[in-house]
Protein backbone atom coordinates (compact mmCIF):
# COMPACT_ATOMS: atom_id res chain seq x y z
CA UNK A 1 0.00 0.00 0.00
CA UNK A 2 2.93 2.34 0.74
CA UNK A 3 4.00 2.34 -2.90
CA UNK A 4 0.52 3.40 -4.10
CA UNK A 5 0.56 6.28 -1.66
CA UNK A 6 4.06 7.33 -2.66
CA UNK A 7 3.22 7.32 -6.38
CA UNK A 8 -0.03 9.21 -5.77
CA UNK A 9 1.82 11.93 -3.85
CA UNK A 10 4.53 12.23 -6.50
CA UNK A 11 1.95 12.32 -9.30
CA UNK A 12 -0.07 15.02 -7.58
CA UNK A 13 3.06 17.09 -7.00
CA UNK A 14 4.07 16.83 -10.67
CA UNK A 15 0.62 17.46 -12.19
CA UNK A 16 -1.28 19.53 -9.60
CA UNK A 17 -4.15 17.07 -10.09
CA UNK A 18 -5.56 15.54 -6.89
CA UNK A 19 -4.35 11.93 -6.71
CA UNK A 20 -5.10 9.13 -4.27
CA UNK A 21 -3.73 5.61 -3.75
CA UNK A 22 -7.05 4.58 -5.28
CA UNK A 23 -6.18 6.55 -8.46
CA UNK A 24 -2.94 4.56 -8.80
CA UNK A 25 -4.79 1.32 -8.09
CA UNK A 26 -7.31 2.10 -10.84
CA UNK A 27 -4.58 2.81 -13.38
CA UNK A 28 -2.87 -0.49 -12.49
CA UNK A 29 -6.21 -2.32 -12.76
CA UNK A 30 -6.68 -0.77 -16.21
CA UNK A 31 -3.19 -1.89 -17.29
CA UNK A 32 -4.09 -5.47 -16.28
CA UNK A 33 -7.08 -5.15 -18.63
CA UNK A 34 -5.44 -3.47 -21.65
CA UNK A 35 -2.00 -2.43 -23.01
CA UNK A 36 -3.51 0.56 -24.84
CA UNK A 37 -2.99 4.03 -23.36
CA UNK A 38 -6.38 5.43 -24.42
CA UNK A 39 -8.21 2.42 -22.98
CA UNK A 40 -6.28 2.81 -19.73
CA UNK A 41 -7.55 6.40 -19.52
CA UNK A 42 -11.07 5.24 -20.37
CA UNK A 43 -11.18 2.38 -17.84
CA UNK A 44 -9.42 4.10 -14.97
CA UNK A 45 -11.77 7.13 -15.14
CA UNK A 46 -8.95 9.36 -13.94
CA UNK A 47 -7.95 12.62 -15.73
CA UNK A 48 -5.62 12.06 -18.69
CA UNK A 49 -2.72 14.19 -17.34
CA UNK A 50 -2.82 12.19 -14.09
CA UNK A 51 -2.97 8.79 -15.84
CA UNK A 52 0.01 9.75 -18.02
CA UNK A 53 2.03 10.82 -14.96
CA UNK A 54 1.10 7.74 -12.91
CA UNK A 55 2.19 5.49 -15.79
CA UNK A 56 5.53 7.31 -16.04
CA UNK A 57 6.05 6.88 -12.29
CA UNK A 58 5.05 3.20 -12.38
CA UNK A 59 7.66 2.86 -15.13
CA UNK A 60 10.27 4.68 -13.03
CA UNK A 61 9.55 2.31 -10.14
CA UNK A 62 10.01 -0.70 -12.43
CA UNK A 63 6.37 -1.80 -12.24
CA UNK A 64 5.39 -1.02 -15.84
CA UNK A 65 7.29 -1.09 -19.15
CA UNK A 66 6.55 0.63 -22.45
CA UNK A 67 7.15 -1.84 -25.29
CA UNK A 68 6.54 -0.11 -28.58
CA UNK A 69 3.14 1.42 -27.99
CA UNK A 70 2.13 -1.17 -25.42
CA UNK A 71 1.89 -0.60 -21.71
CA UNK A 72 2.71 -3.80 -19.80
CA UNK A 73 3.21 -4.81 -16.19
CA UNK A 74 6.72 -6.02 -15.33
CA UNK A 75 7.32 -9.09 -13.17
CA UNK A 76 7.59 -6.76 -10.17
CA UNK A 77 4.34 -5.13 -11.27
CA UNK A 78 2.59 -8.49 -11.44
CA UNK A 79 3.89 -9.38 -7.98
CA UNK A 80 2.54 -6.12 -6.57
CA UNK A 81 -0.84 -6.78 -8.20
CA UNK A 82 -0.97 -10.20 -6.51
CA UNK A 83 0.20 -8.86 -3.18
CA UNK A 84 -2.39 -6.05 -3.13
CA UNK A 85 -5.14 -8.15 -4.70
CA UNK A 86 -5.77 -5.67 -7.53
CA UNK A 87 -8.27 -7.09 -10.02
CA UNK A 88 -9.14 -6.40 -13.65
CA UNK A 89 -12.15 -4.29 -14.75
CA UNK A 90 -15.30 -6.19 -15.69
CA UNK A 91 -18.14 -4.43 -17.54
CA UNK A 92 -21.80 -5.25 -16.99
CA UNK A 93 -23.19 -2.49 -19.19
CA UNK A 94 -26.53 -3.23 -20.81
CA UNK A 95 -25.79 -4.26 -24.39
CA UNK A 96 -29.26 -3.20 -25.56
CA UNK A 97 -29.07 0.52 -24.66
CA UNK A 98 -25.29 0.74 -24.16
CA UNK A 99 -26.01 1.75 -20.56
CA UNK A 100 -27.88 4.89 -21.59
CA UNK A 101 -31.23 3.67 -20.34
CA UNK A 102 -33.02 4.74 -23.53
CA UNK A 103 -33.34 3.27 -27.02
CA UNK A 104 -34.14 4.98 -30.31
CA UNK A 105 -37.39 3.38 -31.42
CA UNK A 106 -40.99 4.08 -32.37
CA UNK A 107 -41.58 7.58 -33.68
CA UNK A 108 -37.90 8.50 -33.23
CA UNK A 109 -36.63 5.75 -35.52
CA UNK A 110 -37.60 7.42 -38.82
CA UNK A 111 -36.17 10.79 -37.76
CA UNK A 112 -32.95 9.05 -36.74
CA UNK A 113 -32.57 7.43 -40.19
CA UNK A 114 -32.84 10.91 -41.76
CA UNK A 115 -30.36 12.30 -39.25
CA UNK A 116 -27.81 9.59 -40.09
CA UNK A 117 -27.76 10.74 -43.73
CA UNK A 118 -27.73 14.45 -42.93
CA UNK A 119 -24.84 14.34 -40.46
CA UNK A 120 -22.50 12.67 -42.98
CA UNK A 121 -22.01 16.08 -44.61
CA UNK A 122 -21.29 17.96 -41.38
CA UNK A 123 -18.18 20.22 -41.20
CA UNK A 124 -15.23 18.51 -39.44
CA UNK A 125 -14.31 19.35 -35.82
CA UNK A 126 -11.69 22.09 -35.52
CA UNK A 127 -9.28 22.86 -32.70
CA UNK A 128 -9.87 26.63 -32.78
CA UNK A 129 -13.21 26.16 -31.05
CA UNK A 130 -12.21 23.13 -28.98
CA UNK A 131 -14.72 21.07 -30.97
CA UNK A 132 -15.48 17.41 -30.77
CA UNK A 133 -18.76 15.72 -31.51
CA UNK A 134 -20.56 12.63 -30.29
CA UNK A 135 -21.77 9.74 -32.44
CA UNK A 136 -25.13 10.23 -34.24
CA UNK A 137 -26.67 7.48 -32.06
CA UNK A 138 -25.53 9.48 -29.06
CA UNK A 139 -27.11 12.72 -30.28
CA UNK A 140 -30.39 10.92 -30.80
CA UNK A 141 -30.15 9.10 -27.48
CA UNK A 142 -30.16 12.58 -25.90
CA UNK A 143 -33.39 13.34 -27.74
CA UNK A 144 -34.84 10.06 -26.45
CA UNK A 145 -33.67 10.85 -22.92
CA UNK A 146 -35.12 14.36 -22.90
CA UNK A 147 -38.42 13.10 -24.32
CA UNK A 148 -38.46 10.34 -21.74
CA UNK A 149 -38.17 13.00 -19.02
CA UNK A 150 -40.97 15.09 -20.56
CA UNK A 151 -38.74 17.99 -21.60
CA UNK A 152 -39.48 18.25 -25.35
CA UNK A 153 -43.11 17.90 -26.42
CA UNK A 154 -44.59 21.33 -27.09
CA UNK A 155 -41.60 23.00 -25.43
CA UNK A 156 -39.22 25.77 -26.45
CA UNK A 157 -35.76 24.26 -26.61
CA UNK A 158 -32.40 26.03 -26.95
CA UNK A 159 -28.99 24.57 -27.81
CA UNK A 160 -25.95 26.58 -26.71
CA UNK A 161 -23.03 25.49 -28.90
CA UNK A 162 -23.99 22.77 -31.31
CA UNK A 163 -21.04 20.57 -32.34
CA UNK A 164 -23.34 17.59 -31.99
CA UNK A 165 -26.10 18.87 -34.29
CA UNK A 166 -28.57 18.50 -31.44
CA UNK A 167 -30.74 21.21 -33.01
CA UNK A 168 -31.20 19.16 -36.19
CA UNK A 169 -31.97 15.99 -34.21
CA UNK A 170 -34.47 17.85 -32.01
CA UNK A 171 -36.22 19.49 -34.97
CA UNK A 172 -36.31 16.22 -36.96
CA UNK A 173 -38.06 14.54 -34.01
CA UNK A 174 -40.89 17.02 -34.51
CA UNK A 175 -41.40 17.19 -30.73
CA UNK A 176 -40.38 20.71 -29.61
CA UNK A 177 -42.54 23.73 -30.43
CA UNK A 178 -39.42 25.77 -31.18
CA UNK A 179 -35.69 25.05 -31.55
CA UNK A 180 -33.05 27.80 -31.27
CA UNK A 181 -29.29 27.43 -31.47
CA UNK A 182 -26.51 29.85 -30.61
CA UNK A 183 -23.13 28.80 -32.01
CA UNK A 184 -19.83 30.62 -32.54
CA UNK A 185 -18.78 28.65 -35.64
CA UNK A 186 -20.28 30.12 -38.80
CA UNK A 187 -19.64 26.90 -40.74
CA UNK A 188 -21.90 25.00 -38.36
CA UNK A 189 -24.61 27.67 -38.32
CA UNK A 190 -24.65 27.74 -42.13
CA UNK A 191 -24.83 23.94 -42.29
CA UNK A 192 -27.73 23.88 -39.82
CA UNK A 193 -29.52 26.64 -41.76
CA UNK A 194 -29.15 24.74 -45.04
CA UNK A 195 -30.49 21.53 -43.51
CA UNK A 196 -33.29 23.47 -41.85
CA UNK A 197 -34.36 24.94 -45.20
CA UNK A 198 -34.08 21.66 -47.09
CA UNK A 199 -36.10 19.69 -44.53
CA UNK A 200 -38.41 22.49 -43.50
CA UNK A 201 -37.30 22.34 -39.87
CA UNK A 202 -37.74 25.98 -38.96
CA UNK A 203 -34.62 26.06 -36.75
CA UNK A 204 -33.71 29.50 -35.40
CA UNK A 205 -29.91 29.34 -35.91
CA UNK A 206 -27.70 32.29 -34.98
CA UNK A 207 -23.98 32.99 -34.85
CA UNK A 208 -23.17 33.99 -31.28
CA UNK A 209 -20.05 33.93 -29.12
CA UNK A 210 -21.19 32.51 -25.78
CA UNK A 211 -18.50 34.46 -23.95
CA UNK A 212 -20.76 37.45 -24.65
CA UNK A 213 -24.06 37.89 -22.80
CA UNK A 214 -27.07 36.22 -24.44
CA UNK A 215 -29.22 38.08 -26.98
CA UNK A 216 -32.01 39.71 -24.98
CA UNK A 217 -34.85 37.82 -26.62
CA UNK A 218 -33.58 34.40 -25.54
CA UNK A 219 -33.31 35.27 -21.84
CA UNK A 220 -36.10 33.67 -19.82
CA UNK A 221 -37.78 32.30 -22.96
CA UNK A 222 -37.13 28.52 -22.97
CA UNK A 223 -38.27 25.37 -21.20
CA UNK A 224 -35.22 23.20 -21.87
CA UNK A 225 -31.58 23.80 -22.75
CA UNK A 226 -28.74 21.66 -24.06
CA UNK A 227 -25.06 22.59 -23.91
CA UNK A 228 -21.64 20.93 -23.83
CA UNK A 229 -19.34 23.19 -21.82
CA UNK A 230 -15.54 23.13 -21.72
CA UNK A 231 -14.33 21.19 -18.70
CA UNK A 232 -13.27 23.77 -16.15
CA UNK A 233 -15.30 24.81 -13.12
CA UNK A 234 -15.41 28.40 -14.42
CA UNK A 235 -16.54 27.32 -17.90
CA UNK A 236 -19.26 25.08 -16.51
CA UNK A 237 -20.45 27.88 -14.28
CA UNK A 238 -20.49 30.25 -17.28
CA UNK A 239 -22.03 28.00 -19.94
CA UNK A 240 -24.52 26.14 -17.79
CA UNK A 241 -25.25 29.53 -16.20
CA UNK A 242 -26.10 30.86 -19.68
CA UNK A 243 -28.39 27.88 -20.19
CA UNK A 244 -30.14 28.57 -16.89
CA UNK A 245 -30.55 32.23 -17.88
CA UNK A 246 -32.56 31.13 -20.95
CA UNK A 247 -35.08 29.26 -18.80
CA UNK A 248 -38.59 30.58 -18.20
CA UNK A 249 -39.25 29.44 -14.69
CA UNK A 250 -38.86 26.90 -11.97
CA UNK A 251 -38.98 23.19 -12.90
CA UNK A 252 -37.35 23.69 -16.30
CA UNK A 253 -34.56 21.33 -17.39
CA UNK A 254 -31.00 21.48 -18.67
CA UNK A 255 -28.78 18.85 -20.29
CA UNK A 256 -24.98 18.83 -20.56
CA UNK A 257 -22.01 16.47 -20.35
CA UNK A 258 -19.14 16.51 -17.86
CA UNK A 259 -16.20 14.21 -18.39
CA UNK A 260 -13.86 12.35 -16.06
CA UNK A 261 -11.13 12.46 -18.73
CA UNK A 262 -10.33 16.03 -17.71
CA UNK A 263 -11.75 16.12 -14.21
CA UNK A 264 -10.69 14.65 -10.92
CA UNK A 265 -13.45 13.86 -8.46
CA UNK A 266 -12.29 16.83 -6.42
CA UNK A 267 -13.04 19.06 -9.38
CA UNK A 268 -16.36 17.26 -9.93
CA UNK A 269 -17.34 18.08 -6.40
CA UNK A 270 -16.68 21.77 -7.03
CA UNK A 271 -18.68 21.55 -10.26
CA UNK A 272 -21.63 19.96 -8.47
CA UNK A 273 -21.46 22.65 -5.79
CA UNK A 274 -21.62 25.38 -8.47
CA UNK A 275 -24.71 23.69 -9.93
CA UNK A 276 -26.43 23.45 -6.56
CA UNK A 277 -25.59 27.08 -5.80
CA UNK A 278 -27.29 28.12 -9.06
CA UNK A 279 -30.54 26.69 -7.73
CA UNK A 280 -30.32 23.49 -9.75
CA UNK A 281 -31.07 19.95 -8.68
CA UNK A 282 -29.09 17.17 -10.36
CA UNK A 283 -31.84 14.71 -11.29
CA UNK A 284 -29.82 12.40 -13.57
CA UNK A 285 -26.17 11.41 -13.90
CA UNK A 286 -25.56 8.86 -16.64
CA UNK A 287 -21.99 7.56 -16.65
CA UNK A 288 -20.29 7.42 -20.09
CA UNK A 289 -23.57 8.30 -21.83
CA UNK A 290 -21.66 10.50 -24.28
CA UNK A 291 -19.10 9.03 -26.67
CA UNK A 292 -17.03 11.40 -28.78
CA UNK A 293 -15.86 10.46 -32.26
CA UNK A 294 -12.05 10.74 -32.38
CA UNK A 295 -11.08 14.09 -33.84
CA UNK A 296 -8.30 14.83 -36.35
CA UNK A 297 -6.39 17.39 -34.30
CA UNK A 298 -5.27 15.00 -31.50
CA UNK A 299 -1.58 15.74 -32.19
CA UNK A 300 -2.16 19.41 -31.30
CA UNK A 301 -3.92 18.76 -28.02
CA UNK A 302 -2.16 18.97 -24.66
CA UNK A 303 -2.92 15.32 -23.86
CA UNK A 304 -0.80 14.10 -26.79
CA UNK A 305 2.30 15.82 -25.35
CA UNK A 306 1.72 13.99 -22.06
CA UNK A 307 1.19 10.42 -23.26
CA UNK A 308 4.05 8.03 -22.40
CA UNK A 309 3.50 6.14 -25.71
CA UNK A 310 2.61 7.80 -28.99
CA UNK A 311 -0.15 5.74 -30.49
CA UNK A 312 -3.08 7.59 -32.11
CA UNK A 313 -6.45 6.76 -30.51
CA UNK A 314 -8.44 4.28 -32.62
CA UNK A 315 -11.47 3.37 -30.53
CA UNK A 316 -13.63 5.88 -28.72
CA UNK A 317 -11.93 6.88 -25.45
CA UNK A 318 -13.32 10.35 -24.73
CA UNK A 319 -16.62 9.88 -22.95
CA UNK A 320 -18.67 12.02 -20.63
CA UNK A 321 -21.37 11.69 -18.05
CA UNK A 322 -24.74 13.10 -19.07
CA UNK A 323 -26.17 15.49 -16.51
CA UNK A 324 -29.82 16.46 -16.33
CA UNK A 325 -30.58 19.36 -14.00
CA UNK A 326 -33.83 21.03 -13.05
CA UNK A 327 -34.48 24.51 -11.67
CA UNK A 328 -36.24 24.99 -8.34
CA UNK A 329 -37.30 28.08 -6.37
CA UNK A 330 -34.58 30.73 -6.17
CA UNK A 331 -32.62 29.55 -9.23
CA UNK A 332 -30.31 32.08 -10.83
CA UNK A 333 -28.53 31.99 -14.19
CA UNK A 334 -25.29 33.67 -15.22
CA UNK A 335 -25.26 36.15 -18.07
CA UNK A 336 -22.24 38.36 -17.39
CA UNK A 337 -19.49 38.72 -20.01
CA UNK A 338 -16.81 36.04 -19.64
CA UNK A 339 -13.28 37.39 -19.40
CA UNK A 340 -9.92 35.64 -19.39
CA UNK A 341 -9.06 32.04 -20.20
CA UNK A 342 -11.71 29.77 -18.75
CA UNK A 343 -10.83 26.84 -21.01
CA UNK A 344 -7.70 25.52 -19.28
CA UNK A 345 -6.73 24.10 -15.90
CA UNK A 346 -4.23 21.49 -14.69
CA UNK A 347 -6.60 18.67 -15.57
CA UNK A 348 -7.49 19.66 -19.13
CA UNK A 349 -6.01 17.66 -21.96
CA UNK A 350 -7.90 18.29 -25.18
CA UNK A 351 -7.40 22.05 -25.44
FE1 LIG B 1 -30.47 -1.16 -21.24
Amino acid sequence: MEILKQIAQEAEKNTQVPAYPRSVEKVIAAVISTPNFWKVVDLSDEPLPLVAEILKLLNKHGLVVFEGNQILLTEAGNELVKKLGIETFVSHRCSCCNGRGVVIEGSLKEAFEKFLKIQEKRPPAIHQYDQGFVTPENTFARVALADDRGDLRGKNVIVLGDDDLMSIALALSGLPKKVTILEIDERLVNFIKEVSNEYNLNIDARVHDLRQPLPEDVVGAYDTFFTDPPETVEAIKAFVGRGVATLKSERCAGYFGVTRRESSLDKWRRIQKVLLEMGLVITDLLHNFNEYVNWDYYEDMRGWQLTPVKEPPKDIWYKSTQFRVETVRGFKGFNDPIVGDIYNDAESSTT
Side-chain angles (χ1 to χ4, degrees):
M1 208 58 191
E2 253 336 281
I3 182 76
L4 300 186
K5 202 169 161 189
Q6 190 190 332
I7 290 176
Q9 279 170 354
E10 254 183 278
E12 177 162 337
K13 196 170 136 243
N14 295 346
T15 59
Q16 303 302 312
V17 179
Y20 300 88
R22 177 81 175 140
S23 318
V24 182
E25 187 188 323
K26 289 186 85 178
V27 171
I28 294 173
V31 175
I32 301 173
S33 314
T34 174
N36 180 279
F37 174 75
W38 305 100
K39 287 205 174 106
V40 171
V41 175
D42 181 6
L43 287 174
S44 69
D45 244 345
E46 295 288 335
L48 185 151
L50 184 62
V51 174
E53 185 61 26
I54 287 173
L55 287 170
K56 286 173 193 166
L57 292 170
L58 287 169
N59 176 254
K60 202 176 104 186
H61 286 271
L63 298 167
V64 146
V65 284
F66 306 127
E67 270 186 31
N69 285 328
Q70 300 218 314
I71 300 165
L72 303 166
L73 286 171
T74 60
E75 211 170 297
N78 274 313
E79 268 169 38
L80 182 76
V81 161
K82 256 192 226 136
K83 196 176 121 204
L84 300 179
I86 300 174
E87 299 270 349
T88 181
F89 282 98
V90 180
S91 171
H92 299 285
R93 265 178 109 76
C94 173
S95 57
C96 180
C97 68
N98 194 17
R100 292 188 174 116
V102 287
V103 285
I104 302 159
E105 57 178 19
S107 60
L108 289 180
K109 188 101 200 205
E110 202 182 312
F112 177 57
E113 300 296 332
K114 264 190 207 164
F115 184 71
L116 272 180
K117 272 204 201 90
I118 292 169
Q119 57 87 35
E120 279 173 10
K121 292 185 197 130
R122 55 158 302 136
I126 51 174
H127 197 191
Q128 185 190 348
Y129 298 127
D130 187 27
Q131 287 171 339
F133 53 86
V134 300
T135 63
E137 293 76 17
N138 195 158
T139 299
F140 245 80
R142 284 195 199 137
V143 176
L145 176 69
D147 189 33
D148 189 81
R149 301 299 191 268
D151 294 327
L152 299 183
R153 288 174 198 244
K155 308 283 188 197
N156 291 346
V157 181
I158 189 163
V159 183
L160 304 171
D162 200 11
D163 296 4
D164 301 324
L165 308 179
M166 272 310 299
S167 60
I168 295 177
L170 287 162
L172 280 172
S173 77
L175 300 173
K177 186 162 83 190
K178 179 181 175 181
V179 178
T180 299
I181 76 140
L182 303 181
E183 162 63 51
I184 190 170
D185 185 356
E186 229 178 311
R187 298 174 315 148
L188 271 175
V189 173
N190 288 337
F191 178 73
I192 291 166
K193 276 185 177 163
E194 280 164 30
V195 171
S196 178
N197 286 339
E198 192 181 333
Y199 290 82
N200 222 349
L201 297 177
N202 212 13
I203 299 170
D204 168 22
R206 316 184 200 174
V207 178
H208 181 81
D209 180 349
L210 284 167
R211 286 170 298 188
Q212 302 306 321
L214 296 164
E216 248 169 66
D217 68 307
V218 308
V219 176
Y222 292 84
D223 300 284
T224 305
F225 76 84
F226 290 83
T227 190
D228 208 5
E231 305 283 341
T232 65
V233 180
E234 280 308 303
I236 286 168
K237 183 181 169 190
F239 289 92
V240 173
R242 292 278 193 272
V244 173
T246 69
L247 297 178
K248 276 178 190 169
S249 67
E250 292 138 5
R251 305 301 302 267
C252 287
Y255 292 83
F256 51 90
V258 187
T259 189
R260 297 281 290 274
R261 305 292 171 268
E262 306 189 71
S263 296
S264 63
L265 282 184
D266 292 62
K267 184 163 127 186
W268 260 48
R269 182 170 178 274
R270 282 188 285 140
I271 289 169
Q272 294 191 7
K273 225 172 140 194
V274 161
L275 299 174
L276 298 179
E277 279 163 3
M278 257 189 261
L280 300 171
V281 178
I282 302 165
T283 62
D284 295 76
L285 275 176
L286 297 153
H287 184 243
N288 287 350
F289 185 98
N290 297 311
E291 300 188 316
Y292 292 78
V293 178
N294 284 315
W295 50 89
D296 298 330
Y297 63 79
Y298 66 87
E299 284 180 334
D300 304 327
M301 70 181 186
R302 177 169 177 253
W304 183 251
Q305 315 309 321
L306 303 175
T307 61
V309 292
K310 299 296 173 202
E311 188 176 27
K314 273 190 222 84
D315 299 327
I316 284 176
W317 68 279
Y318 197 96
K319 301 175 185 174
S320 76
T321 294
Q322 181 67 45
F323 278 64
R324 178 186 179 276
V325 292
E326 201 168 313
T327 51
V328 290
R329 239 164 258 162
F331 78 96
K332 197 173 179 301
F334 177 85
N335 199 18
D336 299 340
I338 295 164
V339 283
D341 175 18
I342 60 166
Y343 293 92
N344 292 291
D345 62 21
E347 304 180 18
S348 50
S349 54
T350 60
T351 48

